[in-house]
Amino acid sequence: TALHQLHVEEVRGRLIRNLSKGYRQRVGIAQALLGKPRVIILDEPTVGLDPRQGKEIRELIRQLGKEHTVIFSSHLLPEIQQLCDRVVILHKGKLIREAAMAELTGGDGETIRLRATVAMKERLLLPALNSLECVRRVKVLPTPDADYTELEMECLRETGRGRAQAQLFRLLAGLDAPLMQLTVVKDTLEEVFLRATTEE
């Protein structure tokens, strides 16, 4: 039953107005489940909850998502990133982005962002990097040591010459330029949101 699924059996005889905010949220979701809907819409489901209640509601949303389509609005972007497969970003009442979460945050899609530290001077390294088939953009980051170059690159994930990381390794080996660090950069949903709304 919905009472069992939402863990509210112990308060079934109480008036809703006398329940805690967490239980009121659960009872509201239980009511929505009574008609066995395919789609459940939740508006700010964790606002005003204490950390334990928020965690329980997030887990509940995750479970509901296995059997229902769950649409929820929230300003808590880390929560959305944790729970959602797809994201719609609205700004001033207008749709500005819609995509799979992995695509928005850099975990999927045809491009990849790489951050690297290379033991070579910037003036020697940049022309070689820009010659790579996979490289779209290179941004040099500040570093205290002029013999090292720290940079962030936007690359095609894969081209006819292979994966972006493999192309970079081959290039640097040929230049005798040790790669000190390489990481795949993934955005937070907050960064995506701020960038999208600023561009808009």
Side-chain angles (χ1 to χ4, degrees):
T1 68
L3 289 177
H4 176 72
Q5 191 173 358
L6 276 295
H7 307 291
V8 290
E9 303 99 327
E10 64 267 27
V11 296
R12 68 188 306 161
R14 294 173 56 186
L15 294 174
I16 293 175
R17 69 171 179 249
N18 295 333
L19 298 177
S20 70
K21 173 92 170 159
Y23 271 114
R24 286 199 306 270
Q25 293 282 60
R26 288 175 182 273
V27 169
I29 295 170
Q31 288 173 318
L33 289 175
L34 290 177
K36 299 192 186 320
R38 292 187 321 182
V39 178
I40 299 169
I41 300 173
L42 305 172
D43 182 25
E44 303 275 359
T46 60
V47 167
L49 301 181
D50 67 38
R52 173 171 280 133
Q53 292 169 330
K55 183 178 180 201
E56 290 171 354
I57 292 294
R58 283 192 296 277
E59 185 53 40
L60 173 64
I61 291 169
R62 192 175 282 111
Q63 292 303 317
L64 290 173
K66 294 177 181 177
E67 298 177 26
H68 307 268
T69 298
V70 179
I71 300 171
F72 76 94
S73 68
S74 177
H75 291 90
L76 302 174
L77 301 184
E79 180 174 85
I80 292 174
Q81 188 164 356
Q82 183 182 15
L83 291 174
C84 295
D85 297 323
R86 285 195 70 75
V87 177
V88 174
I89 298 176
L90 302 173
H91 183 57
K92 296 181 181 176
K94 186 173 154 189
L95 172 70
I96 58 172
R97 289 295 297 274
E98 179 181 1
M101 180 67 73
E103 181 183 336
L104 277 179
T105 57
D108 200 0
E110 64 181 41
T111 62
I112 187 171
R113 283 179 34 230
L114 301 173
R115 181 169 288 165
T117 303
V118 181
M120 179 175 265
K121 292 182 187 297
E122 175 185 329
R123 64 182 172 76
L124 300 172
L125 180 61
L126 286 185
L129 287 176
N130 283 314
S131 73
L132 282 176
E133 181 184 0
C134 64
V135 171
R136 285 187 167 176
R137 271 187 286 282
V138 178
K139 176 183 175 185
V140 177
L141 305 172
T143 180
D145 189 336
D147 291 329
Y148 287 78
T149 304
E150 187 163 342
L151 46 89
E152 191 169 291
M153 297 177 291
E154 182 182 329
C155 304
L156 291 171
R157 189 178 291 274
E158 189 146 3
T159 67
R161 294 179 180 247
R163 293 176 58 95
Q165 292 96 319
Q167 291 183 51
L168 179 62
F169 286 134
R170 284 194 296 272
L171 173 76
L172 295 177
L175 293 172
D176 193 24
L179 180 63
M180 309 308 289
Q181 179 182 353
L182 179 67
T183 55
V184 176
V185 178
K186 293 189 180 183
D187 289 326
T188 65
L189 186 57
E190 183 174 289
E191 290 166 332
V192 171
F193 176 84
L194 291 172
R195 195 162 53 242
T197 54
T198 300
E199 289 167 1
E200 180 62 21

